[in-house]
Amino acid sequence: MTVERIDLGPIALSRLVYGMWRLGDDPDTRPAHVQAKVEACLAQGITTMDQADIYGGYAAEALLGAALRAAPGLRDRIEIVTKCDIVAPVGRHAAAPVKYYDTSAAHVTASVEMSLREMATDRIDLLLIHRPDPLMDHHDTGRALDGLVASGKVRAVGVSNFRPWDVRLLQSAMTTPLVTNQIELSLICREPFVNGDLAFLQERGLPPMAWSPLAGGRLRAEGPGPLRELMDDLARAAGTDWGAVAVAWLLHHPARVMPVLGTNSLDRIARISDACRVPMDRPTWFRLYTAAQGHEVP
Amino acid sequence: MTVERIDLGPIALSRLVYGMWRLGDDPDTRPAHVQAKVEACLAQGITTMDQADIYGGYAAEALLGAALRAAPGLRDRIEIVTKCDIVAPVGRHAAAPVKYYDTSAAHVTASVEMSLREMATDRIDLLLIHRPDPLMDHHDTGRALDGLVASGKVRAVGVSNFRPWDVRLLQSAMTTPLVTNQIELSLICREPFVNGDLAFLQERGLPPMAWSPLAGGRLRAEGPGPLRELMDDLARAAGTDWGAVAVAWLLHHPARVMPVLGTNSLDRIARISDACRVPMDRPTWFRLYTAAQGHEVP
Amino acid sequence: MTVERIDLGPIALSRLVYGMWRLGDDPDTRPAHVQAKVEACLAQGITTMDQADIYGGYAAEALLGAALRAAPGLRDRIEIVTKCDIVAPVGRHAAAPVKYYDTSAAHVTASVEMSLREMATDRIDLLLIHRPDPLMDHHDTGRALDGLVASGKVRAVGVSNFRPWDVRLLQSAMTTPLVTNQIELSLICREPFVNGDLAFLQERGLPPMAWSPLAGGRLRAEGPGPLRELMDDLARAAGTDWGAVAVAWLLHHPARVMPVLGTNSLDRIARISDACRVPMDRPTWFRLYTAAQGHEVP
């Protein structure tokens, strides 16, 4: 079974994305093991790898880089998404006096150069501004992003955690189109379905990426209850687990959501695409939505 | 006395609208009695009847339809507004597993066909999407609405309870202009005056319809207090009741609000248009606004 | 040292603005003393004086007017900003039954005529609508503002305390461009940095004015703590006081914020422009932001 692909114009991503933010939490970070994870994704048609400069304390990109160096040809079989603008006092930024955001042209450009080096590649398929920066000079940032695309070092540009006004502001200073917004979205984080965030992306034809589609385990941690029972029932009927149901719930939305899933278990990686075969229809979608919010729609 | 008319382009509505959501709560639902209510409206120039497929558990449209069948010519003297997209586990949708919204082309089209049949008419003057649907595929919904207008089965299309981003999303996939948004608006529900909902409609030149202009009785139920005293004083001076004052307060707004009023009492129906003769000026408008919010403006 | 100027198209303002809302609170309101305050501003390049019809209970404009009458030539060395639309039951509006807003053409025009008379001038450099009026008829207000600019009585028009939708609504009915929005903005009032208010102004290229940049003393009143300590450290290093740090924090933002500062002390007036020489960089900006909100950015 191969997962669908989403055309974003300059690039295409796999509908399901493998998230590498905890790559360094695995006791085994050797290139061969990282490679095995990527291959387990590729076997399902999951070709898109989600990174960020800051993941693993600015160390996760290098773990992927080592695997790519060790496996010639692997780079060309995947798309690499990475992010920048968070400066936290750890790793290479240990001297920072506080956690802050930096969308200056100088920082964005330097961050991309470092990401290219760390991941042993000559191009980033998709670069995202990681967090909206209350101090963003959109002209400066926009010019830097346009320049990175023109140089070929970055194939496409997007944002993450932006609200509609943030997207409009940055886009207003760019010629390259922003192609996605990676936002938190799940049965627990439902605000974007009603606060205009998804509507804005749908109107612009921008498929969102969804981080924490399982709400970082909170979906499960809440203990027994109507939502858990319903997820378990649907999972049982589809021969899979509750996580696949939660992801299928996102896949059913017309905005063409691309969930980002991160796990270090090869076994669970091999079952990420189970979500694509969980049957989902409108009443079932609303049963899950209703159970999650604890009351019926108005 | 005849109430003003509001030109919405393809159609015109009476400034005051008669709401039929409780038509079935009246012990007397015979065609002649429903007809008497409509005639009591028409005598005042209230020509617009507000329906929804779901009113009365999917039964209110048929009550109006029986009256229209019994009174030849009555249909052409009124405008019918109806709504669709709420599927609740009652009446014809008793088998629904949960209350949900359905803006799919298939559901919207089938709902309109059913409304035409129930109300014994060949056209709906104004069709509204009843609630914003977090699962709306705007291309699908927009195409269906455009098609219904092209077919002549629906003369104009609008929405209800939409936020500005919902309107923009749906409109972006339509050629027919959306002509109104029916929202909750009253001295109790004042958010739309400041949160951009009314400003958006004013900017687009779309007169809103207002449901629950008396806040479903809450305006009265709150007991004695500055708001009640002020409404009573103004009503006394105008020789009418507090409800007419609350409606006059809406009529004074430049957005050209069309309040929807539902009552089963023939006597009260005959006095709906009293609201049009309550004097209202800017200081009085703010006295009511201030009394309702309990503190003066900043 | 001369403070920077901000080009708003039809007019230019000084980057720092002197606020006159408490002019009447000074025991000495004689023309010579008001003139001395203005001269203390001019010595630093602070040429813009911020007024409103309602300041001092509709009395502050006349205090400035008396000073301008007494000092020939002074008028042409300053820019006068004033505001209208608040009607409060005090001074010339003592008979108002409640505090309310009035953006009607009649009120706006009459208010400008009165401001011209009070301030003994033939033109207002910048007229602002003081508060968003929930009863605004944008066609009426827009026409009045366009007319005032066409007549030469007002050189430029803007708003105050408007949200983006309010700006869009009013601008949609005007040919003259609105040139600024004077909003509350400070280390205490940080919402505009993230809620789209600043992003909207940046996208349109409209530099905001900032009222209460020191949060009316609340910044200080909160007592010892990380924010106060950090402000004191930075002030000490720059040889100035915490207020200058708080203003420098606003000046560092790319939106080109114009802080409005009001004090009746000639000594403090003489040091307003100290803010321009407080060093500020991105990490320091975020240290202050973080200390103010009490937790690091996400």
Side-chain angles (χ1 to χ4, degrees):
Chain A
M1 144 173 275
T2 286
V3 309
E4 190 189 350
R5 293 189 72 73
I6 299 291
D7 181 8
L8 296 179
I11 57 167
L13 302 183
S14 54
R15 182 71 189 265
L16 296 171
V17 173
Y18 182 58
M20 293 187 156
W21 72 94
R22 288 187 305 197
L23 213 51
D25 296 346
D26 193 329
D28 185 351
T29 57
R30 286 171 302 179
H33 192 59
V34 172
Q35 185 188 346
K37 292 175 184 176
V38 174
E39 292 288 357
C41 287
L42 291 174
Q44 302 164 81
I46 297 170
T47 60
T48 304
M49 307 292 135
D50 186 69
Q51 278 276 8
D53 61 348
I54 197 182
Y55 286 166
Y58 303 100
E61 287 184 330
L63 296 178
L64 174 59
L68 294 178
R69 272 193 198 89
L74 186 57
R75 169 64 187 92
D76 293 339
R77 297 163 62 204
I78 63 175
E79 298 85 34
I80 297 177
V81 180
T82 196
K83 314 183 192 74
C84 67
D85 98 337
I86 304 182
V87 180
V90 62
R92 78 176 72 125
H93 291 296
V98 69
K99 186 176 181 187
Y100 66 97
Y101 304 139
D102 194 343
T103 53
S104 69
H107 179 80
V108 167
T109 307
S111 182
V112 165
E113 295 292 351
M114 180 66 91
S115 291
L116 291 172
R117 239 180 349 260
E118 296 283 88
M119 294 190 284
T121 183
D122 61 348
R123 67 191 186 283
I124 288 161
D125 295 283
L126 176 57
L127 176 72
L128 307 181
I129 299 295
H130 206 152
R131 288 270 175 190
D133 167 16
L135 203 53
M136 180 171 75
D137 178 335
H138 56 300
H139 298 294
D140 192 43
T141 310
R143 205 159 30 224
L145 295 174
D146 279 345
L148 285 165
V149 170
S151 75
K153 288 174 181 169
V154 164
R155 294 181 62 207
V157 171
V159 294
S160 186
N161 302 301
F162 272 40
R163 304 299 311 271
W165 45 82
D166 301 314
V167 177
R168 272 195 294 257
L169 177 60
L170 180 54
Q171 185 65 80
S172 75
M174 295 176 64
T175 54
T176 319
L178 297 166
V179 300
T180 191
N181 187 8
Q182 183 174 128
I183 57 176
E184 185 179 2
L185 197 68
S186 69
L187 274 161
I188 295 290
C189 181
R190 298 176 307 275
E191 269 298 294
F193 290 100
V194 295
N195 72 359
D197 284 3
L198 274 183
F200 173 81
L201 296 171
Q202 288 180 269
E203 187 186 340
R204 298 223 166 183
L206 303 182
M209 302 177 75
W211 62 266
S212 265
L214 309 183
R218 269 174 298 149
L219 259 176
R220 196 62 182 176
E222 293 193 347
L227 178 59
R228 179 165 171 168
E229 281 168 31
L230 178 54
M231 289 197 300
D232 284 344
D233 287 352
L234 295 169
R236 210 161 16 241
T240 181
D241 62 14
W242 68 272
V245 172
V247 173
W249 184 80
L250 289 175
L251 295 176
H252 190 65
H253 194 275
R256 292 183 295 158
V257 178
M258 296 175 279
V260 180
L261 290 137
T263 167
N264 279 316
S265 148
L266 278 177
D267 184 53
R268 279 199 296 270
I269 292 174
R271 288 182 284 115
I272 289 177
S273 59
D274 277 11
C276 300
R277 55 183 183 73
V278 176
M280 186 64 53
D281 59 15
R282 179 176 283 274
T284 306
W285 194 92
F286 273 92
R287 283 175 72 199
L288 286 160
Y289 187 75
T290 301
Q293 71 182 1
H295 57 83
E296 66 178 16
V297 295
Chain B
M1 143 172 273
T2 285
V3 311
E4 190 190 351
R5 294 189 71 73
I6 300 290
D7 180 8
L8 297 179
I11 57 167
L13 303 183
S14 54
R15 183 70 188 267
L16 296 172
V17 173
Y18 182 59
M20 294 187 155
W21 71 94
R22 288 187 305 198
L23 214 50
D25 296 346
D26 192 329
D28 184 352
T29 58
R30 285 172 301 179
H33 192 60
V34 171
Q35 185 188 347
K37 292 175 184 175
V38 174
E39 293 288 357
C41 288
L42 291 175
Q44 302 164 82
I46 298 171
T47 60
T48 304
M49 306 293 136
D50 186 70
Q51 279 276 7
D53 61 348
I54 198 181
Y55 286 166
Y58 303 99
E61 289 184 329
L63 296 178
L64 174 59
L68 294 179
R69 272 193 200 88
L74 187 56
R75 169 64 186 94
D76 294 339
R77 298 164 61 205
I78 63 174
E79 298 86 34
I80 297 176
V81 180
T82 196
K83 315 184 191 75
C84 67
D85 99 335
I86 305 182
V87 180
V90 62
R92 79 176 71 125
H93 291 297
V98 70
K99 186 176 180 187
Y100 67 96
Y101 305 139
D102 194 344
T103 53
S104 69
H107 178 80
V108 168
T109 307
S111 181
V112 165
E113 294 292 350
M114 179 66 90
S115 290
L116 291 172
R117 243 184 339 264
E118 297 282 89
M119 294 189 285
T121 183
D122 61 348
R123 67 190 185 283
I124 287 160
D125 296 282
L126 176 58
L127 176 72
L128 307 181
I129 299 294
H130 206 153
R131 289 270 176 191
D133 167 16
L135 202 54
M136 179 171 75
D137 179 334
H138 57 299
H139 297 295
D140 192 43
T141 310
R143 204 157 33 223
L145 295 175
D146 278 345
L148 285 165
V149 171
S151 75
K153 289 174 181 168
V154 164
R155 293 181 62 208
V157 170
V159 295
S160 187
N161 303 300
F162 272 40
R163 304 299 312 271
W165 44 83
D166 300 316
V167 177
R168 273 196 293 258
L169 177 60
L170 179 54
Q171 186 64 80
S172 76
M174 295 177 63
T175 55
T176 317
L178 297 166
V179 300
T180 192
N181 187 9
Q182 182 174 128
I183 58 176
E184 186 180 0
L185 197 68
S186 68
L187 274 161
I188 295 290
C189 182
R190 299 176 307 274
E191 268 300 294
F193 290 99
V194 295
N195 72 359
D197 284 4
L198 273 183
F200 173 81
L201 296 171
Q202 288 180 269
E203 188 186 340
R204 299 220 166 187
L206 303 182
M209 301 178 76
W211 62 266
S212 264
L214 308 184
R218 269 174 298 148
L219 260 176
R220 197 63 184 174
E222 294 194 347
L227 178 58
R228 180 165 170 168
E229 281 168 32
L230 179 54
M231 290 197 299
D232 285 344
D233 286 352
L234 295 168
R236 208 161 16 238
T240 181
D241 62 14
W242 68 272
V245 172
V247 172
W249 185 80
L250 290 175
L251 295 177
H252 190 65
H253 194 275
R256 293 182 294 157
V257 178
M258 295 174 280
V260 180
L261 290 137
T263 166
N264 279 316
S265 148
L266 279 176
D267 184 55
R268 278 198 296 271
I269 293 174
R271 288 184 284 115
I272 289 178
S273 59
D274 276 11
C276 299
R277 54 183 183 74
V278 176
M280 185 66 52
D281 58 15
R282 177 177 285 273
T284 306
W285 194 91
F286 273 91
R287 283 175 72 198
L288 286 161
Y289 187 74
T290 301
Q293 69 183 2
H295 56 84
E296 65 178 16
V297 296
Chain C
M1 144 172 274
T2 286
V3 310
E4 191 190 349
R5 293 189 72 73
I6 300 290
D7 180 8
L8 296 179
I11 56 166
L13 302 184
S14 55
R15 183 71 190 266
L16 295 172
V17 173
Y18 182 58
M20 293 188 156
W21 72 93
R22 288 186 305 197
L23 213 50
D25 296 346
D26 193 329
D28 185 352
T29 57
R30 287 172 300 179
H33 191 58
V34 171
Q35 185 188 348
K37 291 175 184 176
V38 174
E39 293 287 357
C41 288
L42 290 174
Q44 304 165 81
I46 299 171
T47 59
T48 304
M49 306 294 134
D50 187 69
Q51 278 277 8
D53 60 349
I54 198 182
Y55 287 165
Y58 303 99
E61 288 185 329
L63 295 178
L64 174 60
L68 294 179
R69 271 192 200 90
L74 187 57
R75 170 65 187 93
D76 293 339
R77 297 163 63 206
I78 63 174
E79 297 86 34
I80 297 177
V81 181
T82 196
K83 315 185 190 75
C84 67
D85 98 336
I86 305 183
V87 180
V90 62
R92 78 176 72 127
H93 292 296
V98 71
K99 186 175 180 187
Y100 66 96
Y101 305 138
D102 194 343
T103 53
S104 69
H107 178 80
V108 168
T109 306
S111 182
V112 165
E113 295 292 350
M114 179 66 90
S115 291
L116 290 173
R117 237 178 352 256
E118 297 282 89
M119 294 189 285
T121 184
D122 61 348
R123 67 190 186 283
I124 287 161
D125 295 283
L126 176 57
L127 175 72
L128 307 181
I129 298 295
H130 206 153
R131 289 271 176 189
D133 167 15
L135 202 54
M136 179 171 75
D137 178 334
H138 56 300
H139 298 295
D140 192 42
T141 310
R143 206 160 28 225
L145 295 175
D146 278 345
L148 285 165
V149 170
S151 75
K153 289 175 182 169
V154 164
R155 293 181 62 207
V157 171
V159 295
S160 186
N161 303 300
F162 272 40
R163 303 299 312 271
W165 44 83
D166 300 315
V167 178
R168 272 195 295 257
L169 177 60
L170 179 54
Q171 186 64 82
S172 75
M174 295 176 64
T175 54
T176 318
L178 297 166
V179 301
T180 190
N181 187 8
Q182 182 175 129
I183 58 176
E184 185 180 1
L185 197 68
S186 69
L187 274 161
I188 296 290
C189 182
R190 298 176 308 275
E191 268 299 294
F193 290 101
V194 295
N195 73 359
D197 284 3
L198 273 183
F200 173 81
L201 296 171
Q202 288 181 269
E203 187 187 340
R204 299 223 166 183
L206 302 182
M209 301 177 77
W211 61 266
S212 264
L214 309 183
R218 269 176 298 149
L219 259 176
R220 197 63 183 175
E222 293 194 347
L227 178 59
R228 179 164 170 168
E229 282 168 32
L230 179 54
M231 289 196 300
D232 284 343
D233 287 351
L234 295 169
R236 208 162 16 239
T240 181
D241 61 14
W242 68 272
V245 172
V247 173
W249 185 80
L250 290 175
L251 295 177
H252 190 65
H253 194 276
R256 293 183 295 157
V257 178
M258 295 175 280
V260 179
L261 289 136
T263 166
N264 279 317
S265 149
L266 278 176
D267 184 55
R268 278 199 297 272
I269 293 174
R271 288 183 284 113
I272 289 178
S273 58
D274 276 12
C276 299
R277 54 183 183 75
V278 176
M280 186 65 53
D281 60 15
R282 178 177 284 274
T284 305
W285 195 91
F286 274 92
R287 284 175 73 199
L288 286 161
Y289 187 74
T290 301
Q293 70 183 1
H295 57 83
E296 66 177 17
V297 295

